[in-house]
Each structure stands twice: as structure tokens, then as C-alpha cells.
């Protein structure tokens, strides 16, 4: 599950208040629209609701503090990452 910035707080707040929406028109590829419709149906949501939530996820996604610290650690080179040649080795290390 993704961690969100203030968007999750905003979403919860919006549930209790009226959200002003502005109509928008976009030209999308037919195959993309069909995939979006299938995903919306799979999640038992309207196409509009599904697309809005996908866009919110993309625009508002921000890693949590632990993830930010891990990214900073990797980028600094303080803890060189082990490169795995097979999945079994990776899972063996995770089980330790």
C-alpha cells in the first residue's frame, strides 16, 4: 500500500465536505480508455472516480519518512547495496 502526502488527509476531509469539481475534457487513446474502464469495473467504481483516484495517486504520492531515509542512505553511498543474481539469494537474506 502506498503512503500518501497530505492527499490522504485531504481525501478524508473531502468526504465530510463538498468538493468543487470542474468538468474537463481529454482526448485519450481508445485502448487506454478501455483499460481504465476494465480497471474501474474490477474495483466496482465509476470511470470518473477511478481516473480521479489514479491521478490523485500520481500527483500526491510522496514516500513516508522511513522510505525517504532509505533513499537518502542509498544515494549517499553509506551502505552499498548487495546485487543479487537470483531471487533465492535475496529471499535468504531477507529471512535472516
Amino acid at each position: 500500500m502506498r503512503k500518501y502526502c497530505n492527499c490522504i488527509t485531504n481525501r478524508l476531509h473531502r468526504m465530510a465536505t463538498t468538493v468543487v469539481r470542474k468538468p474537463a475534457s481529454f482526448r485519450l487513446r481508445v485502448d487506454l480508455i478501455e483499460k481504465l474502464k476494465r480497471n474501474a469495473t474490477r474495483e466496482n467504481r465509476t470511470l470518473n472516480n477511478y481516473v480521479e483516484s489514479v491521478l490523485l495517486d500520481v500527483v500526491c504520492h510522496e514516500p513516508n519518512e522511513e522510505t525517504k531515509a532509505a533513499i537518502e542512505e542509498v544515494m549517499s553511498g553509506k551502505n552499498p547495496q548487495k546485487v543479487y543474481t537470483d531471487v533465492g539469494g535475496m529471499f535468504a537474506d531477507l529471512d535472516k
Side-chain angles (χ1 to χ4, degrees):
M1 176 182 238
R2 288 183 171 180
K3 302 284 182 175
Y4 298 95
C5 60
N6 292 331
C7 285
I8 192 73
T9 304
N10 292 342
R11 281 186 190 173
L12 293 173
H13 177 70
R14 285 192 309 246
M15 293 170 78
T17 61
T18 301
V19 177
V20 178
R21 288 188 165 77
K22 182 178 179 178
S25 177
F26 295 96
R27 292 171 48 95
L28 300 173
R29 295 176 9 187
V30 173
D31 61 324
L32 176 59
I33 292 173
E34 292 307 314
K35 288 179 184 179
L36 289 167
K37 285 180 180 178
R38 281 194 300 272
N39 289 354
T41 300
R42 188 177 312 124
E43 293 189 18
N44 197 28
R45 299 163 76 170
T46 65
L47 177 61
N48 187 76
N49 177 268
Y50 180 76
V51 170
E52 183 179 17
S53 68
V54 168
L55 291 172
L56 280 169
D57 287 349
V58 170
V59 172
C60 297
H61 180 258
E62 183 177 315
N64 63 20
E65 294 306 315
E66 182 180 358
T67 303
K68 286 180 186 177
I71 292 169
E72 188 175 315
E73 181 180 324
V74 169
M75 297 303 284
S76 72
K78 292 178 186 174
N79 184 6
Q81 299 298 306
K82 181 176 180 178
V83 176
Y84 294 97
T85 57
D86 64 285
V87 176
M90 180 182 72
F91 282 118
D93 279 356
L94 289 172
D95 287 337
K96 291 181 183 177

